[in-house]
């Protein structure tokens, strides 16, 4: 199965400020005019509801007090993916006015499986050094044993020639 989208739009829904910032950026990139009463979020939603074949990724929708319905365009001309660690977010699948709404639960990896995956993604040797193994165990725990986050961390370390210990420090400093 192959998909081709006219546009792929990513919104960080960690908090309202982040989401609104991304909608402002999307409006600028698409050259959507906003004025006075029309916020960038509403302008982008209106644009998407009359456009075809787009993908909107609403990422990190973990806060139950944050109503992500405010970010969903009406109609059924595109696709929406919502990522969250909050199981209550699955209720939004029933609110989406589209064909084929579904929810998928991504389970955590087992510790050893996550360790092997981190080693492959980062292209670092973990098993031979006890300190590196200990740092790796702390990192995969911090990443919640989730494949996507482990893969992203591994790619970052590989591309930036970053050690696991340094990456763990960066991650902990940002949290």
């Amino acid at each position: 199965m192959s998909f081709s989208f006219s546009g792929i739009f990513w919104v960080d829904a960690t908090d309202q400020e982040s989401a609104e910032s991304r909608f402002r950026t999307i409006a600028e990139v698409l050259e959507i005019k906003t004025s006075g009463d029309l916020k960038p979020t509403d302008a982008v939603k209106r644009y998407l509801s009359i456009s075809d074949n787009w993908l909107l990724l609403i990422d990190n929708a973990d806060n139950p007090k944050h109503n992500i319905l405010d970010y969903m365009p009406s109609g059924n001309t595109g696709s929406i993916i919502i990522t969250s660690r909050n199981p209550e977010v699955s209720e939004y699948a029933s609110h989406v006015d589209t064909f084929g709404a579904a929810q998928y639960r991504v389970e955590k990896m087992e510790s050893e499986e996550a360790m092997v995956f981190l080693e492959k993604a980062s292209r670092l040797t973990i098993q031979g050094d006890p300190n590196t193994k200990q740092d790796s165990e702390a990192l995969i725990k911090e990443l919640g044993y989730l494949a996507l986050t482990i893969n992203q961390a591994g790619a970052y370390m590989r591309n930036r020639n970053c050690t696991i210990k340094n990456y763990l420090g960066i991650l902990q400093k940002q949290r």
Side-chain angles (χ1 to χ4, degrees), residues 25-143:
T25 301
I26 294 167
E28 290 169 9
V29 168
L30 294 174
E31 298 178 351
I32 300 171
K33 303 289 185 233
T34 59
S35 62
D37 296 340
L38 187 61
K39 296 182 196 175
T41 301
D42 295 328
V44 170
K45 284 171 39 181
R46 182 183 299 167
Y47 174 87
L48 293 177
S49 58
I50 60 171
S51 301
D52 289 328
N53 205 30
W54 44 264
L55 173 63
L56 176 62
L57 173 61
I58 302 174
D59 197 16
N60 298 315
D62 300 330
N63 187 342
K65 295 177 183 170
H66 192 178
N67 186 2
I68 61 169
L69 285 176
D70 293 341
Y71 305 131
M72 294 187 189
S74 60
N76 60 359
T77 59
S79 300
I80 300 171
I81 296 175
I82 303 168
T83 67
S84 178
R85 294 182 199 151
N86 180 354
E88 293 175 15
V89 171
S90 65
E91 76 179 55
Y92 290 113
S94 64
H95 292 287
V96 177
D97 179 22
T98 188
F99 176 76
Q103 55 182 305
Y104 300 95
R105 181 175 177 84
V106 178
E107 298 295 330
K108 295 178 181 180
M109 300 176 85
E110 295 295 324
S111 180
E112 190 58 37
E113 178 186 29
M115 187 77 70
V116 170
F117 188 57
L118 176 62
E119 191 168 43
K120 287 179 182 177
S122 65
R123 296 189 185 138
L124 296 170
T125 304
I126 294 172
Q127 301 301 334
D129 180 10
N131 292 329
T132 302
K133 186 171 182 179
Q134 185 177 1
D135 292 338
S136 299
E137 288 169 350
L139 177 59
I140 60 175
K141 182 178 180 183
E142 186 80 20
L143 296 173

Side-chain angles (χ1 to χ4, degrees), residues 2-4 6 16 20 31 36 51 61 78 91 99 142 156 167:
S2 175
F3 293 98
S4 179
S6 61
Q16 188 171 352
E20 288 176 2
E31 298 178 351
S51 301
E91 76 179 55
F99 176 76
E142 186 80 20
Y156 180 94
Y167 185 85

Side-chain angles (χ1 to χ4, degrees), residues 122-124 153-170:
S122 65
R123 296 189 185 138
L124 296 170
Y156 180 94
M157 289 183 284
R158 183 178 67 247
N159 292 328
R160 303 269 172 105
N161 201 22
C162 179
T163 66
I164 292 170
K165 184 178 190 86
N166 287 345
Y167 185 85
L168 183 59
I170 292 167

